[in-house]
Amino acid sequence: MGRRTLLVTFLAPVLAALALWAFAWPAARTAPRDLPLGVAGAATAADPIARQLAARDGAFEIHRYADEAAARSAIEDRTVYGAVVATQRGPKLLTATAASPVVAQLLEQAVRQQAPQGAPVPTVDVVPAPAADPRGSALGSSVLPMAIAGVAAGALVSLRGLRGLRAAAALVATAVLVGAVAAALTHSWLGVLTGDWWAEAGALALSTLAVSAAVAGFAALLGPAGIGVGGLLMVLLGNPFSGVTSAPHLLPEPVGFLGQLLPPGAGGSLLRSVAFFDGARATAPAVTLGAWAALGLAAVLLGAAARNRRAPGPAAEGRSGVAAAG
């Protein structure tokens, strides 16, 4: 059996194991980890609730608020995923299914478990998910196609031999078109995004550019193997680590943190912010995506410059020809 055959034989199981680890492990270990949760109301009634929730083995990061209005504002600003309001009739739960339907359901279960047996727990959805996507499945399903589109764009630009400024221009133009098409499908047609159309198109375009520029940058520095490196990083790790289908705070550490440093996770967070929360908490993911895009484009330009330096110029070719003739 030749070396190439052995390489293929052993590489496939390794990739399968890596894919199963990346996708199945975070899903199997989903649980709240320092999940930001508000508790509002008078201290005499709210403090016992806060202590009970804080005692759940680091599941929740408790934020205290004076009243329900302050808790609602914190939810709308994406400071917390939800809040428990202590009222004279018992606890009242505020959720935001637009932030994460999975977290909203988890909070309902947690609060009902701590409420007196048989006592009703009224729940108010402060920022509801759109009627066209009440479970957030369409938003969660958008991460992989956008990552694939970015990888494809970066690979095509590299394989077609575009270099330097031409490659950078092609990557930017492609990302803008992908963002517009994706916004037209998700917002205008499906209705699963309900924010400002242009902001959504910009978020989708920036997410695509971050992926495509990174893939093209790896290819410019490493050659064709860079496309594989970029594809594995963005699709095999970025997609399952993104937390878009649940929430970053539900993933095991350091997956939840690392996922937000990769374009799929940052792109999902940015899209959720502009689509449902009027841009609240959009700065960090936008900066992350911008950094990936800038570094990727810089690598594309540096790779082209290095290639030009290595290539013999016309004068050098002329001199070598004369020497050969002599």
Side-chain angles (χ1 to χ4, degrees):
M1 187 178 291
R3 285 188 300 176
R4 292 185 179 180
T5 305
L6 285 172
L7 178 63
V8 172
T9 301
F10 287 101
L11 185 60
V14 169
L15 289 176
L18 180 60
L20 285 172
W21 168 79
F23 281 84
W25 174 59
R29 297 292 184 267
T30 298
R33 295 171 175 84
D34 292 325
L35 184 78
L37 176 65
V39 175
T44 53
D47 285 350
I49 296 176
R51 284 194 295 270
Q52 288 179 341
L53 292 170
R56 292 174 67 98
D57 297 328
F60 301 110
E61 178 187 278
I62 303 301
H63 297 242
R64 284 286 281 114
Y65 300 102
D67 52 29
E68 180 176 340
R72 283 175 174 266
S73 296
I75 293 173
E76 292 168 350
D77 291 338
R78 300 199 71 186
T79 303
V80 294
Y81 281 89
V84 183
V85 182
T87 70
Q88 294 180 348
R89 298 182 179 180
K92 175 182 179 181
L93 178 62
L94 307 180
T95 63
T97 52
S100 172
V102 176
V103 170
Q105 184 178 14
L106 183 149
L107 292 179
E108 288 184 38
Q109 294 173 350
V111 174
R112 285 200 175 99
Q113 287 174 357
Q114 294 190 340
Q117 188 173 6
V121 179
T123 301
V124 178
D125 198 349
V126 178
V127 187
D133 188 27
R135 293 180 179 83
S137 348
L139 180 64
S141 300
S142 67
V143 174
L144 181 58
M146 297 305 296
I148 292 175
V151 171
L156 286 173
V157 164
S158 302
L159 295 175
R160 295 298 294 176
L162 297 179
R163 301 285 183 265
L165 291 176
R166 290 178 61 199
L171 290 169
V172 172
T174 301
V176 170
L177 289 176
V178 169
V181 170
L185 290 173
T186 54
H187 183 116
S188 305
W189 179 41
L190 296 175
V192 298
L193 301 181
T194 57
D196 179 78
W197 193 96
W198 292 104
E200 292 165 356
L204 291 163
L206 184 57
S207 300
T208 304
L209 181 61
V211 175
S212 62
V215 171
F218 281 126
L221 298 178
L222 304 177
I227 297 175
V229 172
L232 289 174
L233 184 62
M234 300 302 167
V235 176
L236 192 60
L237 296 182
N239 183 56
F241 289 7
S242 67
V244 176
T245 56
S246 55
H249 288 86
L250 297 185
L251 299 180
E253 290 298 341
V255 168
F257 172 74
L258 293 177
Q260 294 305 298
L261 297 179
L262 294 173
S269 295
L270 177 61
L271 184 60
R272 197 183 292 277
S273 289
V274 300
F276 309 126
F277 293 89
D278 294 326
R281 300 282 169 172
T283 302
V287 169
T288 300
L289 293 172
W292 275 98
L295 291 173
L297 293 175
V300 168
L301 298 176
L302 288 174
R307 182 184 293 267
N308 290 336
R309 284 196 300 268
R310 289 194 300 266
E317 291 178 357
R319 287 194 297 270
S320 62
V322 171

